[in-house]
Amino acid sequence: MSTGKRLFQYALNFKRIIVFALAMLSVAVAADLAGPFIAKKMIDDHILGIESVWYKTDSETGTAELKGSYYTKDPQSADDESIRILQAGRGFVVTETDIEFDGKRSYEDGILTISQGAKAAQYEAELLSSDELMNFYKLELPSIIELLAFYFVLMIVASIFQYGQRFYLQKSANRIIQKLREDVFRQIQRLPIQYFDNLPAGKVVARITNDTEAIRELYVTVLSTFFTSFIYITGIYVALFILNAKLAAICLLLLPILYVWAKLYRKYASKYNHVIRSRVSDINGMINESIQGMSIIQAFSREKETHQDFEKLNREHFTYQNKLLSLNSSTSHNLVQVLRNIVFVAFIWYFGGEALQPSAAISLGMLYAFVDYINRLFNPVQGIVNQLANLEQALVAGERVFQLMDEEGIDVSAEEVPRYKGNVVFDHVSFGYKDGEYVLKDLCFEAKQGETVALVGHTGSGKSSIMNLLFRFYDPQEGKILIDGMDITGMPRQTLRRHMGIVLQDPFLFTGTIASNVSLEHPDISRETIEQALSSVGADRVLKHLEKGYDEPVIEKGSTLSSGQRQLISFARALAFNPAILILDEATSSIDTETETIIQEAMDVLKEGRTTFIIAHRLSTIRNADQILALDRGRIVEKGSHDELMEQKGKYYQMYQLQLGKKDG
């Protein structure tokens, strides 16, 4: 399905509001477009209405007096005698003779001369005084006032409904974009970990914020303008066809011209917008990375080089923005002006030709209405042309967002299972992050309930990969992993992780408080459980000096806390969730000796009744492990307790002696 269709599908979620808004828009347009018709009637029937044939009558009511006689426009209540009032130059004259044809008029010495081309006719006439002329105009004033009042009411109605349609269209647009953002964020939570391994966080953020904001502009401004313009154009064409079908047909040529221009414009604008959106994403990614690594940048004096890299991206973004600006500037306003001039030339040519015909009967009101409608026609045309740039930006942004949403994800499962015992078996497991490049090769081991299993080995030996498989961040290519005899690939990921806990080397704290970071706002974890968990890991001794205690605010990543404090909170978090399987991923490698002593004292409490996996570089911290697995290049080369492995004097013995030697040195 195309991006445009998918965006339309989102709009259908709120079709009732949109339909209601469009109904209000239709009423507003109808009320607004009635103006030129009212003006035409006012000009032709009333302002210039005195140039009609006036019939003599005996009635004094609702009539105009001229030299003792009374006249009316209504032939039903009049005599056979009639007069004709015509404007000649700046004055008005009256004649009792029928006019054969109309044309250029002149008056001199009681003679009215009317000429049309080679033809000319003369009539006896008399110049009207101002008072006599006003006697006839007074009859038109009530009708003029009524039309003006009617037009005023229509303008109020149009304003009310215009406000309503804008309010409801933009309300629906805000709801659409709210739903889209929720769907995008929900999709992010469904994506596997490997997706984020290959895409910088800043680029993901750009799609949720910048790209969805561009799509919001589509619904709030672009589609609102398009809907309004389409209904206005339709209404104007209906009015033009009512007035004069031939000229309206000529004006229809605008539509294919606009269509062809829009196709050509989108061809180039799409190319530029793809680059612009990509560079915005790159810039966000680089800014995010620079902020995260600002301490390293400043410590190694890389500010200049980082600025140069940013400047390069920013320059490319600027270049393509200018290309898009040049495209918009050279087409949008110029195109509308050219089309406007073409239509006015056709208008002048058509009415000029009509005026030369002997039977021409083109009124001033008709001319006014046509000019008014043609001017109004180009306002929505200008609106459409001006919004094409925003439309293209939104479509490109939508394409990027839907690419993210089309990524294969994993539905979040709410299925609950009883807390499992924690017997873990790796049965001939092989795994690689890339096809054919295994980082774990034919692993076989068993961790029984309540045992502590330590994983040791040099960097890249596969220790963390074992944890990634156990948590099902990835699945093995060969073999299987069993928990209590159940293959974990047959369990929903969330169900599996519900009874697992992890403490990372660099713990992540969320914005909130110390207490909220322990419970992660889980409804089943009470305040008492939080405090008990913090006390069990010894955090009360380290955090007691804080002003608000466990309600002390924590900002992003817990940067105001020491590494030891963050680690203790992370330990308390794992304990509060009461996992059956606990993973400690080098959890004590980045803390000071005093805090490590506190944690070591709590480890026995934390590991009680749980199957615990420890990844440790400090081999002294795993001496009491029930089982130690020594890894080398993805294989288990040694397996046993600390004493057993020391007796073998193999890989583990060498590593232990090396660390012991460094310590002694």
Side-chain angles (χ1 to χ4, degrees):
M1 188 183 296
S2 67
T3 301
K5 288 182 179 179
R6 294 182 70 169
L7 291 171
F8 179 72
Q9 290 293 326
Y10 265 93
L12 290 180
N13 290 315
F14 305 96
K15 56 181 177 292
R16 290 186 179 179
I17 300 178
I18 295 174
V19 169
F20 182 66
L22 293 180
M24 295 189 75
L25 175 60
S26 300
V27 174
V29 170
D32 189 33
L33 293 181
F37 271 105
I38 295 174
K40 175 184 179 299
K41 184 174 180 61
M42 193 183 301
I43 293 170
D44 289 344
D45 295 352
H46 302 292
I47 295 176
L48 298 181
I50 61 170
E51 290 198 355
S52 305
V53 177
W54 293 84
Y55 298 93
K56 191 174 182 180
T57 182
D58 296 330
S59 175
E60 297 182 14
T61 305
T63 59
E65 182 186 1
L66 179 64
K67 300 186 185 306
S69 299
Y70 298 95
Y71 295 90
T72 179
K73 284 184 180 181
D74 184 9
Q76 303 297 324
S77 59
D79 299 333
D80 292 336
E81 295 183 36
S82 64
I83 62 174
R84 182 75 181 270
I85 298 176
L86 297 169
Q87 184 177 8
R90 295 185 177 181
F92 285 82
V93 298
V94 60
T95 179
E96 297 178 355
T97 310
D98 291 337
I99 303 300
E100 298 177 16
F101 58 86
D102 202 359
K104 184 179 179 182
R105 306 167 188 170
S106 61
Y107 176 78
E108 189 175 359
D109 298 331
I111 300 297
L112 172 65
T113 303
I114 300 178
S115 58
Q116 187 185 83
K119 296 189 302 179
Q122 292 184 331
Y123 308 93
E124 291 185 2
E126 186 177 344
L127 187 66
L128 290 174
S129 66
S130 298
D131 291 338
E132 291 172 332
L133 185 62
M134 282 305 299
N135 287 336
F136 289 91
Y137 265 124
K138 284 178 182 177
L139 298 179
E140 308 297 338
L141 284 177
S143 297
I144 291 174
I145 292 172
E146 286 180 6
L147 288 172
L148 286 174
F150 180 57
Y151 181 68
F152 180 72
V153 171
L154 284 179
M155 290 302 97
I156 293 176
V157 171
S159 298
I160 293 172
F161 278 82
Q162 191 78 352
Y163 166 80
Q165 68 89 12
R166 286 182 180 174
F167 175 81
Y168 284 108
L169 271 182
Q170 296 208 9
K171 181 179 179 180
S172 64
N174 288 333
R175 286 192 174 182
I176 291 167
I177 211 66
Q178 178 188 28
K179 176 173 172 53
L180 179 62
R181 279 184 174 146
E182 288 175 353
D183 289 348
V184 173
F185 193 78
R186 189 180 297 112
Q187 169 67 1
I188 287 175
Q189 293 180 314
R190 294 177 64 248
L191 294 175
I193 295 297
Q194 58 260 42
Y195 179 83
F196 301 100
D197 290 342
N198 301 319
L199 192 67
K203 292 190 176 184
V204 179
V205 171
R207 296 196 183 186
I208 302 175
T209 55
N210 298 59
D211 289 340
T212 52
E213 188 62 27
I215 297 173
R216 179 182 178 276
E217 191 69 17
L218 168 71
Y219 290 114
V220 171
T221 305
V222 178
L223 292 187
S224 176
T225 302
F226 275 33
F227 284 145
T228 305
S229 299
F230 175 76
I231 293 177
Y232 260 99
I233 290 172
T234 302
I236 290 170
Y237 271 116
V238 169
L240 288 176
F241 271 102
I242 293 173
L243 290 173
N244 191 301
K246 289 184 180 179
L247 187 61
I250 294 174
C251 292
L252 280 176
L253 292 174
L254 281 173
L255 301 182
I257 292 173
L258 282 175
Y259 177 78
V260 172
W261 180 85
K263 294 288 286 184
L264 291 174
Y265 172 86
R266 289 193 60 195
K267 178 181 178 182
Y268 294 100
S270 178
K271 174 184 175 183
Y272 297 154
N273 275 300
H274 270 96
V275 177
I276 290 170
R277 304 310 303 181
S278 177
R279 290 300 167 270
V280 168
S281 181
D282 292 339
I283 288 171
N284 276 356
M286 183 175 182
I287 291 173
N288 181 71
E289 186 179 61
S290 298
I291 292 173
Q292 297 279 352
M294 188 57 69
S295 58
I296 301 299
I297 291 173
Q298 294 183 358
F300 288 90
S301 302
R302 304 303 296 171
E303 293 92 342
K304 182 178 180 181
E305 289 76 11
T306 304
H307 181 267
Q308 287 175 348
D309 292 340
F310 178 83
E311 189 176 7
K312 180 182 177 183
L313 291 175
N314 203 26
R315 190 184 304 113
E316 289 181 18
H317 179 265
F318 171 78
T319 300
Y320 278 90
Q321 282 279 29
N322 270 359
K323 288 183 178 181
L324 186 61
L325 177 63
S326 299
L327 178 65
N328 294 333
S329 300
S330 61
T331 54
S332 59
H333 181 73
N334 294 336
L335 173 74
V336 174
Q337 288 303 315
V338 169
L339 292 178
R340 186 193 297 269
N341 293 336
I342 290 173
V343 171
F344 270 110
V345 167
F347 173 80
I348 294 169
W349 170 80
Y350 177 79
F351 275 105
E354 285 285 300
L356 295 176
Q357 300 299 320
S359 59
I362 301 169
S363 67
L364 182 60
M366 173 79 78
L367 289 172
Y368 172 83
F370 256 103
V371 171
D372 195 339
Y373 278 126
I374 289 175
N375 274 323
R376 288 171 182 248
L377 177 63
F378 283 94
N379 290 330
V381 169
Q382 181 86 55
I384 290 174
V385 170
N386 287 344
Q387 290 301 325
L388 281 175
N390 289 334
L391 171 65
E392 196 55 43
Q393 288 180 12
L395 290 177
V396 171
E399 182 181 335
R400 288 164 52 81
V401 169
F402 289 130
Q403 282 178 354
L404 175 63
M405 295 183 69
D406 288 339
E407 291 288 337
E408 186 176 353
I410 303 155
D411 291 331
V412 178
S413 172
E415 180 184 340
E416 293 284 344
V417 296
R419 186 175 184 271
Y420 40 73
K421 296 178 180 178
N423 294 307
V424 178
V425 175
F426 272 61
D427 184 11
H428 298 283
V429 171
S430 296
F431 166 72
Y433 295 99
K434 296 180 181 179
D435 290 340
E437 298 181 14
Y438 287 157
V439 294
L440 297 178
K441 304 165 186 174
D442 196 31
L443 292 189
C444 293
F445 69 89
E446 180 179 0
K448 296 180 181 179
Q449 178 186 1
E451 280 190 350
T452 298
V453 178
L455 305 174
V456 300
H458 298 297
T459 301
S461 59
K463 303 184 298 297
S464 295
S465 296
I466 292 175
M467 300 302 99
N468 286 337
L469 293 180
L470 193 56
F471 262 92
R472 282 203 71 193
F473 293 144
Y474 300 88
D475 285 329
Q477 282 86 4
E478 296 178 14
K480 55 187 177 180
I481 303 171
L482 307 175
I483 294 181
D484 293 352
M486 298 180 294
D487 190 339
I488 65 172
T489 57
M491 300 170 62
R493 285 171 167 79
Q494 287 72 33
T495 304
L496 169 71
R497 297 166 188 162
R498 177 65 183 85
H499 302 295
M500 299 176 72
I502 189 169
V503 179
L504 299 172
Q505 177 182 0
D506 185 16
F508 192 94
L509 299 187
F510 297 91
T511 302
T513 64
I514 290 174
S516 69
N517 268 281
V518 172
S519 67
L520 296 181
E521 307 293 351
H522 197 289
D524 294 341
I525 299 179
S526 64
R527 178 75 179 196
E528 183 182 356
T529 303
I530 294 170
E531 294 179 358
Q532 180 62 43
L534 287 164
S535 176
S536 296
V537 299
D540 54 339
R541 286 180 278 171
V542 178
L543 301 174
K544 62 183 179 182
H545 68 283
L546 297 177
E547 182 180 352
K548 297 182 179 180
Y550 297 151
D551 293 316
E552 182 74 16
V554 176
I555 62 174
E556 184 183 4
K557 296 183 70 177
S559 56
T560 56
L561 300 173
S562 69
S563 59
Q565 290 172 329
R566 292 197 300 270
Q567 196 64 280
L568 285 170
I569 294 171
S570 183
F571 264 91
R573 177 194 296 165
L575 184 59
F577 276 83
N578 190 28
I581 298 174
L582 177 66
I583 291 97
L584 306 177
D585 189 355
E586 303 185 29
T588 61
S589 63
S590 60
I591 56 178
D592 56 85
T593 304
E594 182 180 353
T595 306
E596 182 182 354
T597 302
I598 296 174
I599 291 177
Q600 289 293 343
E601 291 174 358
M603 287 288 280
D604 291 338
V605 176
L606 189 62
K607 293 187 294 182
E608 187 177 348
R610 298 180 176 86
T611 305
T612 306
F613 291 86
I614 301 176
I615 299 176
H617 282 159
R618 295 185 185 179
L619 302 185
S620 58
T621 62
I622 59 170
R623 292 186 60 172
N624 296 326
D626 298 297
Q627 186 179 179
I628 299 174
L629 305 180
L631 293 150
D632 183 36
R633 298 180 183 179
R635 297 183 184 276
I636 299 176
V637 293
E638 292 178 2
K639 184 189 304 183
S641 66
H642 171 77
D643 293 335
E644 290 171 348
L645 295 180
M646 289 297 289
E647 288 179 5
Q648 293 179 16
K649 296 189 177 181
K651 194 80 174 178
Y652 177 80
Y653 176 83
Q654 294 174 4
M655 294 171 61
Y656 192 85
Q657 290 296 324
L658 184 63
Q659 284 196 8
L660 190 63
K662 285 183 177 178
K663 183 177 179 181
D664 293 341

